[in-house]
């Protein structure tokens, strides 16, 4: 199913295989989570995706990928940020150095502060935590593309979070693969940082 979706771009046949996998092993947490992620990200069938995620997590409460992907659904679609944060924390208890989970958790904290040009004390705490999560992700995998990209966007949007270490980052050199764009903020210049930190979108 993943080959048909990611390589062949044949979503209809991919879904058929996801469905077959779930019918063949209805209590297989990974299969349920994979199909739920497909329904969420490809089909936009959020209610069905949520039901499958809940079943998958009930079957395996420590499946890090399912916890992370369900958190993304809650964050992006249902705006249930507190529940999403709880799921990211649970996922990190299972895989503490997973750069994708760390980066996505940081994205959530950033998103909670996006509406404010002048963060208050509580938002500053969230932003500081987000920065620590991005740095943990990059420490775990210095070449993790999305962690680097998301951290660059974070520094662009919240220049008050920059420090001397960040001056070494060449954010304008980051290349963005369009396939990844769905889970991050647009690359428009930020009103908080009108000069610099504008990222270039290139197709590889």
């Amino acid at each position: 199913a993943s080959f048909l979706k990611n390589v062949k771009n044949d979503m209809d046949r991919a879904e058929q295989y996801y469905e077959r996998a779930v019918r063949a092993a209805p209590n297989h947490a990974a299969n349920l989570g994979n199909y739920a992620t497909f329904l969420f990200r490809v089909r936009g069938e959020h209610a069905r995706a949520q039901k499958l995620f809940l079943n998958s997590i009930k079957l395996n409460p420590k499946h890090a990928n399912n916890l992370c992907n369900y958190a993304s659904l809650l964050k992006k679609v249902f705006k249930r940020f507190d529940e999403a944060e709880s799921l990211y924390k649970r996922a990190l208890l299972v895989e503490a150095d997973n750069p994708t989970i760390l980066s996505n958790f940081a994205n959530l904290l950033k998103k909670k502060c996006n509406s404010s040009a002048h963060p208050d004390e509580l938002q500053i705490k969230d932003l500081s935590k987000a920065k620590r999560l991005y740095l943990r992700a990059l420490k775990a995998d210095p070449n993790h593309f999305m962690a680097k990209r998301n951290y660059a966007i974070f520094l662009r949007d919240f220049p008050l979070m920059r420090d001397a270490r960040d001056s070494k980052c060449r954010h304008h050199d980051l290349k963005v693969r369009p396939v990844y764009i769905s889970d991050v903020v647009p690359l428009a210049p930020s009103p908080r940082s009108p000069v610099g930190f504008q990222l270039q979108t290139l197709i590889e």
Side-chain angles (χ1 to χ4, degrees), residues 96-157:
D97 295 322
N98 185 310
T100 298
I101 299 172
L102 290 164
S103 181
N104 285 346
F105 188 5
N107 289 346
L108 168 66
L109 296 174
K110 174 183 179 293
K111 187 176 182 67
K112 290 169 65 176
C113 303
N114 266 350
S115 61
S116 175
H118 303 286
D120 58 27
E121 183 177 351
L122 183 59
Q123 290 172 323
I124 290 293
K125 288 183 179 179
D126 279 340
L127 291 172
S128 297
K129 184 175 181 179
K131 179 165 184 170
R132 291 195 298 271
L133 289 166
Y134 284 128
L135 292 176
R136 280 177 59 188
L138 292 171
K139 182 178 180 180
D141 182 357
N143 296 314
H144 193 279
F145 180 81
M146 288 311 299
K148 291 195 295 184
R149 180 185 189 275
N150 291 340
Y151 185 47
I153 295 172
F154 172 78
L155 294 175
R156 179 202 67 186
D157 288 352

Side-chain angles (χ1 to χ4, degrees), residues 58-69:
K58 183 177 180 179
L59 288 166
N60 184 354
K62 295 184 178 182
H63 194 293
N65 284 344
N66 288 345
L67 291 167
C68 182
N69 288 326

Side-chain angles (χ1 to χ4, degrees):
S2 294
F3 175 79
L4 291 169
K5 176 173 71 75
N6 297 325
V7 178
K8 294 295 186 179
N9 199 35
D10 189 338
M11 302 307 170
D12 291 336
R13 287 186 64 204
E15 184 165 11
Q16 292 174 9
Y17 277 90
Y18 283 123
E19 290 175 337
R20 286 174 59 182
V22 169
R23 285 197 301 269
N27 294 321
H28 193 283
N31 287 349
L32 291 173
N34 289 340
Y35 189 23
T37 301
F38 176 86
L39 292 173
F40 160 35
R41 298 190 182 278
V42 177
R43 295 302 196 197
E45 296 186 26
H46 302 137
R48 287 181 65 197
Q50 182 178 28
K51 183 177 180 179
L52 287 172
F53 275 132
L54 289 172
N55 288 341
S56 72
I57 292 170
K58 183 177 180 179
L59 288 166
N60 184 354
K62 295 184 178 182
H63 194 293
N65 284 344
N66 288 345
L67 291 167
C68 182
N69 288 326
Y70 183 38
S72 292
L73 174 67
L74 292 178
K75 174 186 70 176
K76 294 181 64 177
V77 176
F78 298 112
K79 313 302 180 186
R80 288 154 56 180
F81 297 142
D82 290 342
E83 292 175 66
E85 182 170 350
S86 177
L87 288 169
Y88 283 130
K89 289 177 179 178
R90 287 173 59 184
L92 287 175
L93 289 176
V94 182
E95 296 186 15
D97 295 322
N98 185 310
T100 298
I101 299 172
L102 290 164
S103 181
N104 285 346
F105 188 5
N107 289 346
L108 168 66
L109 296 174
K110 174 183 179 293
K111 187 176 182 67
K112 290 169 65 176
C113 303
N114 266 350
S115 61
S116 175
H118 303 286
D120 58 27
E121 183 177 351
L122 183 59
Q123 290 172 323
I124 290 293
K125 288 183 179 179
D126 279 340
L127 291 172
S128 297
K129 184 175 181 179
K131 179 165 184 170
R132 291 195 298 271
L133 289 166
Y134 284 128
L135 292 176
R136 280 177 59 188
L138 292 171
K139 182 178 180 180
D141 182 357
N143 296 314
H144 193 279
F145 180 81
M146 288 311 299
K148 291 195 295 184
R149 180 185 189 275
N150 291 340
Y151 185 47
I153 295 172
F154 172 78
L155 294 175
R156 179 202 67 186
D157 288 352
F158 295 96
L160 77 163
M161 300 308 299
R162 303 177 200 165
D163 57 34
R165 293 172 299 177
D166 299 316
S167 64
K168 298 179 181 179
C169 298
R170 299 185 61 192
H171 306 288
H172 60 281
D173 288 337
L174 293 178
K175 295 182 179 182
V176 179
R177 292 180 173 86
V179 69
Y180 292 119
I181 288 177
S182 64
D183 202 35
V184 293
V185 297
L187 292 182
S190 168
R192 302 186 189 88
S193 182
V195 179
F197 278 74
Q198 297 185 18
L199 307 183
Q200 183 179 13
T201 303
L202 299 175
I203 298 177
E204 295 186 335

